[in-house]
Amino acid sequence: MIRFLIYSSFVFLSLGSCRSYQYPNAVGIRESHQQELNNYYVDSTHTYVYRSQIQAFGKDVHGNLVIRTIAPDVHRVALLSDFGQTLFDVSIFPDRYVLHAAMADLNKKMLVKEVVRIFRTLTERRYAQQALIFMDKQHYPVYTVDDRFYSMEERHLARIAVAQSGRERFVISFVDVQGKLPKEVAIEHRKYPFVMQFTLDKKQSVL
Amino acid sequence: MLLFMLPFLSNAQTRQMTTGEVAAFQQSLKRSAQIKTLSADFVQYKHMSFVKQPITSSGKIYLKQPDRLSWSYTAPFQYKMVFRDHKIFIDDQGKKKTMDIGKSKQFEKISRLVSSSMRGSVYDEKEFSVSYFKKGEVSVLKLLPKSNDTKKYIKEIVLVFSSNDTQVEEVTLVEPSNDYTRFILKNRKVNAQINDSVFNL
């Protein structure tokens, strides 16, 4: 019991950067050897094309997601609707972004900022030196860096949870990872009614 | 815009129509306006400045006056939209949905713009500034929207007409960012019988 309380206190203090967010079943944080996280989109010779389905605020939009890796830490990301209209087109750097185009109805500062945050999390390679400790034995490790929690499964990244103000802000799930690339990506926003699903279009991607 | 117009401008054979040619062409457009139905295969190319290869998709379009439109993608994915009775019916690989057009006015506006371009009925001079060109035997129309609302989405529409039957065979929508989407129509059938089942989902 004492051990549990110590772990709980440690979690509370250690996770101070994301306030009181408590990762489910985690009781503490341990130091880990440096772990590379999310290296799906680091190859600058590649362009990734996904078929996209977006449900946002009661609207459905189908189209494509295009990710071009400019450099391992710089990505150009575009969301297109059917009929080819560009919804967003943005270059994402580690500390800033450049908006190239946004459809008039969607060009709101807060919305663009949140979309950038989501796609930065999706594409950004990070390194962690801390992992969570769980009460029960956990098959797969969960690494944490800043406000993000990276769940690994069978040596590949399966899920990223981003926390803010004590809650999960959004979650990115990688499904059917083949050849170091997820064939499917699902993004669910926890604060807003906003769900995105992407299915890799290998033929149109440059891999 | 320059990038997009390059194929037209760089070709020495592209020139502005003479007054006589414009008058004759407008006459042929009036005949085109009598289209009751249209069916065609299409290939869609989305060009973006940062991607070498365009994003390509293809499918089939059916139009029936006054307000029925079936738009289906068959490659690289199966996806069908039907615009009917102020609703959008969607079949996404077996998953069916219905949306009120009122909930997606902008989506409807774009789709109408594309489909009316293909029908050849978009060049209302109240809505667009129209320029007429000739490229060899082919007629080319360049439309610049006048309303600020449309300008938010579309910078320019370019229509290429077949020299054989003066029907639209190519539509290009240029966005304010200069990225553009090009639709090529093939196997066009005008005023042929279209079964109503095409518009059912």
Side-chain angles (χ1 to χ4, degrees), chain A residues 47 49 51 53 55 58-64 66-68 70 76-78 80-87 89 100-105 197 201 203-204 206, chain B residues 44 46 48-51 53-57 71 73 76-77 79 81 83 90 92 95 97 99 103-104 106-107 110-111 114 152-154 173 175 177 179 181 183:
Chain A
T47 300
V49 178
R51 175 77 184 142
Q53 294 175 52
Q55 288 102 43
K59 291 181 184 176
D60 283 17
V61 181
H62 290 65
N64 290 99
V66 183
I67 301 170
R68 178 159 177 221
I70 308 296
R76 180 98 176 238
V77 178
L80 315 173
S81 74
D82 282 326
F83 304 113
Q85 278 274 308
T86 303
L87 304 176
D89 176 5
H100 303 286
M103 185 168 272
D105 297 350
Q197 288 179 302
D201 184 341
K203 280 187 183 171
Q204 303 217 55
V206 180
Chain B
Q44 176 180 325
K46 166 71 177 182
M48 287 177 291
S49 61
F50 70 98
V51 178
Q53 300 284 339
I55 310 295
T56 306
S57 47
W71 185 287
Y73 291 94
F77 49 86
Y79 180 65
M81 292 172 281
F83 295 76
I90 295 171
D92 182 9
K95 289 181 202 163
K97 288 179 203 165
M99 284 196 296
K103 274 193 169 182
S104 189
Q106 181 261 319
F107 180 67
I110 300 290
S111 63
V114 173
K152 286 180 190 171
Y153 307 104
I154 299 292
L173 300 179
E175 295 173 43
S177 66
D179 287 343
T181 308
F183 300 88

Side-chain angles (χ1 to χ4, degrees), chain B residues 123-163:
Chain B
Y123 27 88
D124 181 340
E125 299 215 9
K126 284 179 191 162
E127 281 190 56
F128 297 95
S129 302
V130 186
S131 310
Y132 300 84
F133 298 89
K134 273 279 182 192
K135 185 185 175 192
E137 291 301 307
V138 172
S139 301
V140 178
L141 253 68
K142 192 172 92 171
L143 310 161
L144 297 174
K146 287 179 178 174
S147 87
N148 287 334
D149 192 38
T150 308
K151 279 180 192 171
K152 286 180 190 171
Y153 307 104
I154 299 292
K155 183 175 184 179
E156 186 175 59
I157 301 173
V158 178
L159 307 177
V160 178
F161 292 77
S162 161
S163 56

Side-chain angles (χ1 to χ4, degrees), chain A residues 28-180:
Chain A
I29 289 179
R30 63 178 169 82
E31 294 302 312
S32 136
H33 61 279
Q34 182 163 280
Q35 177 74 29
E36 183 189 41
L37 301 165
N38 192 7
N39 56 9
Y40 291 139
Y41 305 102
V42 293
D43 192 329
S44 59
T45 63
H46 288 186
T47 300
Y48 311 87
V49 178
Y50 284 86
R51 175 77 184 142
S52 69
Q53 294 175 52
I54 301 171
Q55 288 102 43
F57 303 98
K59 291 181 184 176
D60 283 17
V61 181
H62 290 65
N64 290 99
L65 168 71
V66 183
I67 301 170
R68 178 159 177 221
T69 306
I70 308 296
D73 60 349
V74 181
H75 296 85
R76 180 98 176 238
V77 178
L79 263 176
L80 315 173
S81 74
D82 282 326
F83 304 113
Q85 278 274 308
T86 303
L87 304 176
F88 289 103
D89 176 5
V90 64
S91 288
I92 302 175
F93 300 83
D95 55 349
R96 65 189 173 93
Y97 66 88
V98 176
L99 185 66
H100 303 286
M103 185 168 272
D105 297 350
L106 304 174
N107 197 356
K108 316 286 182 212
K109 199 174 177 182
M110 290 297 287
L111 179 61
V112 172
K113 220 172 151 184
E114 192 68 7
V115 168
V116 167
R117 189 178 178 191
I118 290 169
F119 286 113
R120 178 180 287 128
T121 306
L122 173 69
T123 54
E124 190 175 38
R125 177 171 57 180
R126 296 298 300 267
Y127 294 90
Q129 290 184 306
Q130 291 183 317
L132 299 184
I133 301 168
F134 292 91
M135 277 287 278
D136 300 319
K137 196 176 176 185
Q138 182 88 350
H139 285 293
Y140 301 115
V142 177
Y143 295 93
T144 179
V145 55
D146 296 336
D147 56 357
R148 301 181 192 172
F149 298 85
Y150 292 80
S151 308
M152 312 297 286
E153 281 182 19
E154 294 169 355
R155 296 185 181 179
H156 69 254
L157 176 63
R159 185 176 185 271
I160 307 172
V162 175
Q164 185 180 319
S165 304
R167 292 180 178 180
E168 275 185 354
R169 181 81 174 179
F170 57 86
V171 173
I172 301 175
S173 304
F174 302 96
V175 182
D176 197 4
V177 177
Q178 294 177 6
K180 296 182 181 176

